[in-house]
Each structure stands twice: as structure tokens, then as C-alpha cells.
Amino acid sequence: MITTIQHHILREQQRISGARGTFSWLLSGITLATKMTESRIRRAGLMDTLGEAGGMNVQGEAQQKLDVYANEALMHCLGLRDSVAVLVSEENEEPVTFDRKSEGGEYAIVFDPLDGSSNIDVNVNVGTIFSIFRCAAATESGHRGAVLQRGRKQVAAGYVIYGPSTMLVYTTGHGVFGFTLDPAIGAYVLSHENIRMPEAGSIYSVNEANADDFPPNYREYLQLLRQKKLGRRYSSRYIGSLVADFHRTLLKGGVFLYPPTAGYPNGKLRLLYEANPLAFIAEQAGGAAVTGSGCVLDVEPCDIHQRVPFVVGGKEEVDFFMTHA
Ligand code: AHM
Ligand code: MG
């Protein structure tokens, strides 16, 4: 018989919250919101959901209508859960906090509601990325402190990819599991048990149009891959939707890089809701993720929207980056 994500999470939460049900209730907020978003995405082009919403987000990027919808869906579905104390979104400058009094308020959730949304008008894959922390660190530093925790402290992380099919991939630190949305029953069904990232692959993924701006060590690394220094020929793939580029790297192996550039001296991708959750999944699947100077998961965050250089992939490619670049 099938295993739904609800069933899987019920088993996982024994390790996380001592089977009190708060964790599975929390995750059901994420699955519901992503199903709402997926249904809008499926009808994009038929409804008035394509194009810009007219506003800018905190990153100074034009918000798409679907960015706004995906953000509201997550804010609404998670805001109703008593166990949520803080929500941080790419689309909101400040954390959204909830005063839960004595009961609840255990978790902080950080998310990118619609990653790669500039691709949506051309019918290319987009995604939702999330990361969950316990609020233990929210002491004097308040709610901001609850989310300014190292990636190693995540209790769960995952993403949804809206592609030819819709998949949710998540980890609670005990392996990585993938679920495919079965539209006939409206449930995420286990389709990828204990995902392992190949130790080595043959694809590199980077926005090569920026190569003249990359620091020399990144340029050199890509050149060494092209020169078959790892013993095989590499091919290049770049979708420009992080979730999609990462998902391919997770399943097929290889390496994805977003290096520092002139426009983005710290790299373009955000630590809390892009790099950290994907780094957690990569490590859990046997891969690795670094900023160029160390593991992504060891970076001590200082700002909720901070950016980091991001190199993620199979062990062999990432080790080679660290030793040769
Ligand atoms: P966003 O859509 O949440 O703003 O995310 C940024 C996107 C990532 O999905 C993707 O990896 C990257 O920007 C692509 O950037 P570029 O167009 O500079 O290659
Ligand atoms: Mg993003």
C-alpha cells in the first residue's frame, strides 16, 4: 500500500517532539499551502495569475503575483498552527511573530515561498523551500534570535518542486525522502525512499555568463572540470530555478555553484531559506555544501536575509573544490 507524507511524518515526529502531534500538524500546514500554490501554478496562463504584482520584495526584486499568493498561503496555513512562534519569508522584510502565551510557540519556520519565480511566465519549474528550527535560542535576542541559528540546528528542512509532477523532498536529519503529489487523491505519496546523492556525477551547473566576474578560484575549478581532471567529461545544465537545479544535482549528482559576482559580492542565494535547507538535505543524502570557506551549515547567521556563496553537490566534486580551488 501507499505511504503518504502524513503517515511518514507521524513516524518521524517521535524523534522530534516526542509524538505530541505538534510537528505533524506543523508540516501539514506546509503541505496544504504548497498544494494551494501548486493548484494555482497548474492553472497559470488560464487565470490572471501570471506577471508582476506591482511591488518589490526586500531584496529589491519585482514580486510576481504567484510570489504573493504562495507567501500568503504559507503565512495563513502556518499562522494558524499554535506551535509556530516565528515565520520568516523571503518576501517579508521582518519576521512575523505570534504571541502564543504559555502554550505552543515552539518552532520558527523560514521559507522562500516561490523560488525561481522569474521563470514562471515561461512555464519553467519553480519551487518552495522551507527550514524549521526550535525556538530555544529566542531569549534576550527575541524572535530574531530564534531564526538566527546555524544551519546545523535545523530540525527539518525541505522543498517542493513544481515540475512535470509535484514533489516534496524533506529531511529531519535521518535521511532524505521524496513524495510525489498524486493529483487523483490530493496526497503526497512516498516515491523516493532514502535518497542518496551520487558521490560523483558529470554535470556542473552555474550561470556561466557571469564567469568573468567569478573569483579566480571558481574560474579555475570550472576549467579543471572541463579539462577532465576528475577523470570524466562534464556537461553543463542551468535552469535558473535553484530548486530545480538542486533537485537534478541531488538525483543525478554533479555540482551546483552560485559564486560571488560583481553584482552579488557575497553570492546571490540567501543563507536561511535557500542555502541552509538545501545544504541539510545534501549532507543527509551523502553530499556536501560549502560557502568556499567552510560548511554552509556552520555559518553563524547575522541577518535573516543574508546571502552566501553556495557550492553544493556530490562529495567528490565538493572535496575537489575545497582542495583545488
Ligand atoms: P528567487 O527566485 O527566490 O529570487 O531566487 C533566486 C534565483 C534562484 O532560484 C536561482 O538559482 C538564481 O536566482 C538564478 O540567478 P541568476 O539568474 O543570476 O543565474
Ligand atoms: Mg529563491
Side-chain angles (χ1 to χ4, degrees), residues 90 112 114-116 129 270 274:
E90 175 184 343
D112 181 353
L114 204 62
D115 176 66
I129 313 176
R270 277 55 61 107
E274 293 180 320

Side-chain angles (χ1 to χ4, degrees), residues 61 90 112 115-117 207 238 240-242 258 268 270 274:
E61 296 153 349
E90 175 184 343
D112 181 353
D115 176 66
S117 57
N207 188 341
Y238 191 73
S241 273
L242 174 63
Y258 207 109
K268 182 183 180 190
R270 277 55 61 107
E274 293 180 320

Side-chain angles (χ1 to χ4, degrees), residues 57 59 61-62 67 90-91 112-119 125-127 129 206-208 210 238-246 256-258 261 264 268-270 273-274 307 310:
N57 69 11
Q59 328 285 337
E61 296 153 349
D67 279 326
E90 175 184 343
E91 301 299 331
D112 181 353
L114 204 62
D115 176 66
S117 57
S118 63
N119 271 326
N125 299 7
V126 287
I129 313 176
V206 64
N207 188 341
E208 226 155 10
N210 294 330
Y238 191 73
I239 298 167
S241 273
L242 174 63
V243 168
D245 281 313
F246 177 80
F256 169 90
L257 308 94
Y258 207 109
T261 61
Y264 294 106
K268 182 183 180 190
L269 300 177
R270 277 55 61 107
Y273 41 82
E274 293 180 320
R307 300 174 194 265
F310 190 43

Side-chain angles (χ1 to χ4, degrees), residues 4-323:
T4 65
I5 192 155
Q6 262 70 32
H7 184 208
H8 199 265
I9 291 164
L10 278 171
R11 283 194 324 229
E12 286 297 293
Q13 77 170 356
Q14 310 263 351
R15 310 183 217 253
I16 291 175
S17 65
R20 279 182 299 112
T22 50
F23 186 71
S24 63
W25 180 230
L26 179 83
L27 259 283
S28 76
I30 294 177
T31 55
L32 175 59
T34 60
K35 284 193 253 183
M36 290 165 64
T37 299
E38 110 95 25
S39 111
R40 281 282 171 117
I41 290 172
R42 290 282 164 247
R43 284 176 289 158
L46 298 171
M47 298 166 71
D48 183 29
T49 46
L50 291 179
E52 294 183 3
M56 298 289 239
N57 69 11
V58 58
Q59 328 285 337
E61 296 153 349
Q63 280 182 313
Q64 307 289 310
K65 288 179 192 158
L66 278 164
D67 279 326
V68 174
Y69 182 80
N71 193 40
E72 282 172 0
L74 279 161
M75 284 288 170
H76 173 74
C77 294
L78 289 170
L80 294 174
R81 266 67 180 163
D82 279 347
S83 57
V84 174
V86 196
L87 296 174
V88 168
S89 165
E90 175 184 343
E91 301 299 331
N92 298 98
E93 186 155 7
E94 293 295 328
V96 174
T97 58
F98 302 89
D99 187 7
R100 301 295 193 197
K101 308 277 183 244
S102 53
E103 283 289 301
E106 269 174 86
Y107 295 106
I109 306 167
V110 184
F111 51 84
D112 181 353
L114 204 62
D115 176 66
S117 57
S118 63
N119 271 326
I120 198 130
D121 286 354
V122 289
N123 211 355
V124 168
N125 299 7
V126 287
T128 296
I129 313 176
F130 61 90
S131 158
I132 303 175
F133 291 97
R134 271 192 199 288
C135 283
T139 48
E140 309 107 57
S141 45
H143 288 300
R144 222 163 235 279
V147 284
L148 292 181
Q149 302 189 48
R150 284 183 301 119
R152 293 246 174 256
K153 298 213 167 138
Q154 292 171 100
V155 294
Y159 61 85
V160 172
I161 177 167
Y162 310 100
S165 61
T166 295
M167 266 191 82
L168 187 151
V169 174
Y170 90 119
T171 183
T172 59
H174 300 276
V176 178
F177 298 88
F179 299 80
T180 302
L181 183 64
D182 182 343
I185 58 172
Y188 286 105
V189 175
L190 182 62
S191 52
H192 295 61
E193 179 104 40
N194 201 15
I195 298 173
R196 303 299 296 166
M197 191 183 275
E199 280 221 354
S202 54
I203 295 173
Y204 73 69
S205 184
V206 64
N207 188 341
E208 226 155 10
N210 294 330
D212 286 352
D213 280 353
F214 295 164
N217 57 327
Y218 285 86
R219 290 207 300 264
E220 214 169 287
Y221 175 70
L222 293 170
Q223 197 178 17
L224 291 171
L225 293 185
R226 286 193 296 272
Q227 290 170 345
K228 302 192 205 138
K229 285 289 183 304
L230 277 177
R232 56 194 173 272
R233 174 182 288 281
Y234 274 77
S235 193
S236 146
R237 295 281 184 279
Y238 191 73
I239 298 167
S241 273
L242 174 63
V243 168
D245 281 313
F246 177 80
H247 189 65
R248 183 199 53 248
T249 308
L250 177 69
L251 297 183
K252 293 202 160 174
V255 61
F256 169 90
L257 308 94
Y258 207 109
T261 61
Y264 294 106
N266 295 317
K268 182 183 180 190
L269 300 177
R270 277 55 61 107
L271 173 64
L272 290 192
Y273 41 82
E274 293 180 320
N276 263 344
L278 302 185
F280 189 20
I281 291 170
E283 284 199 7
Q284 281 296 312
V290 297
T291 62
S293 53
C295 290
V296 170
L297 296 180
D298 292 326
V299 175
E300 201 70 62
C302 50
D303 183 86
I304 58 173
H305 296 294
Q306 89 187 64
R307 300 174 194 265
V308 280
F310 190 43
V311 178
V312 63
K315 261 204 122 355
E316 189 178 345
E317 279 95 353
V318 177
D319 285 352
F320 187 64
F321 176 80
M322 291 307 276
T323 49

